[in-house]
Amino acid sequence: SLVVKFNVSGEELYALYRPEDGVRVSICPDIPKPEELYRDCAFSDICNSVGWNFVLPVISWRLDEESVGVLRPFYKNAGEMKVYDFRKEQLLRKDAKKKKKIAVMDYIFGVGDRVSNDFLVTDSGIKVVDSGISFLPGLDMSPQASILRASLEGEKLTGEIDPGQLFLVKEAVSVNQFLTEENKNWVYKRIEKVLREGVVI
């Protein structure tokens, strides 16, 4: 990865660039390299289009004629959540609604690798990053794939998840350029399961 500095109207902004040729191996056999970069784009596109702005945007970007990849904002002074921050009682003490949404998001988008350092602590709150191992097949995703889901599994979602918002997620998924029809169909099935069960799965 590279940190890239931009000058926008006299203000310095930083972004993290991940090139395709920087993905040496895929840690998930269901996601051939460098596809995880673009699944990260899909994840952020869909979340931000429905107002889940706790996910940092990721866009496809070209550094030069020979290097293509993805770009996301980089926070020089961001902190990280620690493993002990994911105890259930601690998660529910503050911003419980947001954390349940993130847990649901990780399930419906089939995230297979969500660890503590995927949560940046910024001046504007918690931001989720590194969502490339996502859109995996299956309904019975292991909750251990997401540290947040594992802690909140079984928590009721009454009032936290608006069915109308999940309908908007379906619409955003249906037109996403980075996803296959199989990816999309598993998202639809997992949304139906969340609506049916009404708990963090």
Side-chain angles (χ1 to χ4, degrees), residues 31 39 42-50 52 54-55 101-114 131-138 141 149 165-166 168-170 172-173 179 183-184 186-188 190-191 194:
I31 305 177
R39 292 196 186 194
F43 193 100
S44 77
D45 283 354
I46 295 162
C47 289
N48 285 290
S49 73
V50 299
W52 291 350
F54 40 76
V55 176
K101 277 187 180 178
I102 295 170
V104 168
M105 175 186 78
D106 276 356
Y107 174 71
I108 64 176
F109 294 145
V111 170
D113 180 41
R114 174 76 69 217
S131 304
I133 307 301
S134 54
F135 301 100
L136 296 172
M141 311 287 296
R149 277 182 56 221
Q165 197 168 42
L166 291 182
L168 292 178
V169 170
K170 280 186 176 181
V173 166
L179 300 178
N183 298 151
K184 295 173 184 180
W186 280 116
V187 174
Y188 304 151
R190 288 189 290 258
I191 286 174
V194 167

Side-chain angles (χ1 to χ4, degrees), residues 95-163:
D95 292 331
K97 186 173 182 177
K98 177 197 285 188
K99 288 164 186 163
K100 288 182 185 180
K101 277 187 180 178
I102 295 170
V104 168
M105 175 186 78
D106 276 356
Y107 174 71
I108 64 176
F109 294 145
V111 170
D113 180 41
R114 174 76 69 217
V115 293
S116 61
N117 61 4
D118 291 341
F119 297 84
L120 300 184
V121 181
T122 74
D123 291 341
S124 54
I126 292 171
K127 300 293 182 183
V128 178
V129 297
D130 294 340
S131 304
I133 307 301
S134 54
F135 301 100
L136 296 172
L139 279 180
D140 298 316
M141 311 287 296
S142 166
Q144 276 63 48
S146 165
I147 190 170
L148 192 65
R149 277 182 56 221
S151 291
L152 296 180
E153 186 180 16
E155 280 294 306
K156 291 185 179 178
L157 296 172
T158 309
E160 276 87 2
I161 299 295
D162 177 3

Side-chain angles (χ1 to χ4, degrees), residues 62-80:
R62 180 182 291 275
L63 180 65
D64 55 33
E65 287 302 311
E66 297 182 1
S67 181
V68 297
V70 300
L71 198 68
R72 72 157 167 85
F74 176 76
Y75 292 84
K76 292 171 72 174
N77 300 313
E80 292 177 353

Side-chain angles (χ1 to χ4, degrees), residues 5-52:
K5 181 170 72 172
F6 296 90
N7 191 302
V8 181
S9 302
E11 181 183 1
E12 289 184 352
L13 300 175
Y14 293 86
L16 187 70
Y17 174 60
R18 295 186 65 204
E20 285 186 1
D21 59 11
V23 182
R24 302 295 184 198
V25 295
S26 176
I27 65 169
C28 178
D30 289 312
I31 305 177
K33 66 173 191 166
E35 191 178 319
E36 70 176 76
L37 299 178
Y38 302 104
R39 292 196 186 194
D40 203 2
C41 288
F43 193 100
S44 77
D45 283 354
I46 295 162
C47 289
N48 285 290
S49 73
V50 299
W52 291 350

